[in-house]
Amino acid sequence: MVALPIDRPQKIVCIGLNYRDHAEEQGTELPTAPLLFAKWPNTLIGPGEPIVIPPLVTKCDYEAELGVVIGASVRNASAENALEVVAGYICVNDVSARDLQFADGQWTRGKSPDTFCPVGPRLVPRDEVPDPQALSIRAVLNGTPMQDSTTANMVFGVADLIAYITQTITLEPGDLIATGTPAGVGAFRKPPVFMQPGDEITIEVEGLGSLTNPVVAG
């Protein structure tokens, strides 16, 4: 088994509808506050490890995301000081079973099958990323770019997310925040494009490297 590039977190806090272009492609109004949901640590895999599609899942989607790893215990952070608790940044693929997600009416089961949160290739220290809101972000499926945007399109930036989350949830060292995905996900393409066994998906975030995983059938 490939070693994870981060310590296994206590919490994986994810943000929905956090890119303006992603909300636009769905015809959805921008949220007035961050929309939080969770993935479980059973989802975590490292670079090169296979994303395993369970037999009941037919609509397996990719989501390129900037991941934020927390470096200190924090509650009630201010947006002005929030980045001081960041240990570093990492590429995240918030793999999503759209059929389960949309059928359930909430997101936990569709977001948390085993292997549905690849991270990597390494944790980049905070001081090597001067501005987390100025990074290009892409998803490339079998060599074809599917998402191509910038973290400047986030509705709520990293500092605001940390401040919002820690109003009610204490973040601990190692906790991972997946900050949302831009436009171009498979579910909202015309026609839709979902990952299939034999595919290869790569997530790229400027300055953080490339995270590539094969896709296999469960």
Side-chain angles (χ1 to χ4, degrees):
M1 179 177 291
V2 176
L4 284 174
I6 58 174
D7 292 334
R8 192 168 291 274
Q10 181 190 87
K11 295 183 287 295
I12 304 172
V13 182
C14 304
I15 314 299
L17 288 175
N18 197 35
Y19 277 74
R20 293 175 180 85
D21 51 2
H22 183 45
E24 182 180 352
E25 74 178 345
Q26 299 180 56
T28 302
E29 292 185 4
L30 295 180
T32 57
L35 175 60
L36 272 57
F37 64 95
K39 291 173 87 85
W40 307 137
N42 62 288
T43 60
L44 288 165
I45 57 173
E49 291 192 273
I51 297 165
V52 181
I53 302 177
L56 79 165
V57 173
T58 61
K59 297 179 179 179
C60 185
D61 210 346
Y62 51 84
E63 292 191 11
E65 308 210 3
L66 171 65
V68 180
V69 177
I70 298 300
S73 180
V74 57
R75 182 174 171 87
N76 291 321
S78 68
E80 291 74 22
N81 300 319
L83 295 185
E84 295 176 7
V85 304
V86 173
Y89 300 94
I90 196 166
C91 300
V92 173
N93 189 351
D94 176 19
V95 181
S96 305
R98 299 298 190 194
D99 38 1
L100 305 187
Q101 178 186 355
F102 297 152
D104 288 356
Q106 54 81 32
W107 299 356
T108 306
R109 187 169 69 119
K111 293 286 190 172
S112 287
D114 295 345
T115 75
F116 271 35
C117 190
V119 295
R122 69 182 185 98
L123 179 65
V124 177
R126 179 187 70 205
D127 59 8
E128 294 183 22
V129 183
D131 184 358
Q133 306 310 142
L135 307 175
S136 62
I137 181 169
R138 299 204 315 159
V140 180
L141 182 63
N142 301 324
T144 300
M146 307 298 281
Q147 294 179 280
D148 192 351
S149 189
T150 169
T151 58
N153 281 329
M154 284 187 189
V155 180
F156 305 100
V158 173
D160 288 328
L161 292 175
I162 293 171
Y164 182 83
I165 293 166
T166 60
Q167 288 175 359
T168 54
I169 301 168
T170 299
L171 291 173
E172 302 289 352
D175 283 350
L176 174 64
I177 303 171
T179 57
T181 199
V185 298
F188 298 107
R189 301 184 76 89
K190 297 179 181 179
V193 176
F194 296 111
M195 295 189 295
Q196 305 294 331
D199 285 350
E200 182 179 81
I201 182 71
T202 297
I203 307 302
E204 302 172 349
V205 180
E206 184 179 354
L208 308 188
S210 297
L211 167 66
T212 298
N213 297 88
V215 181
V216 302

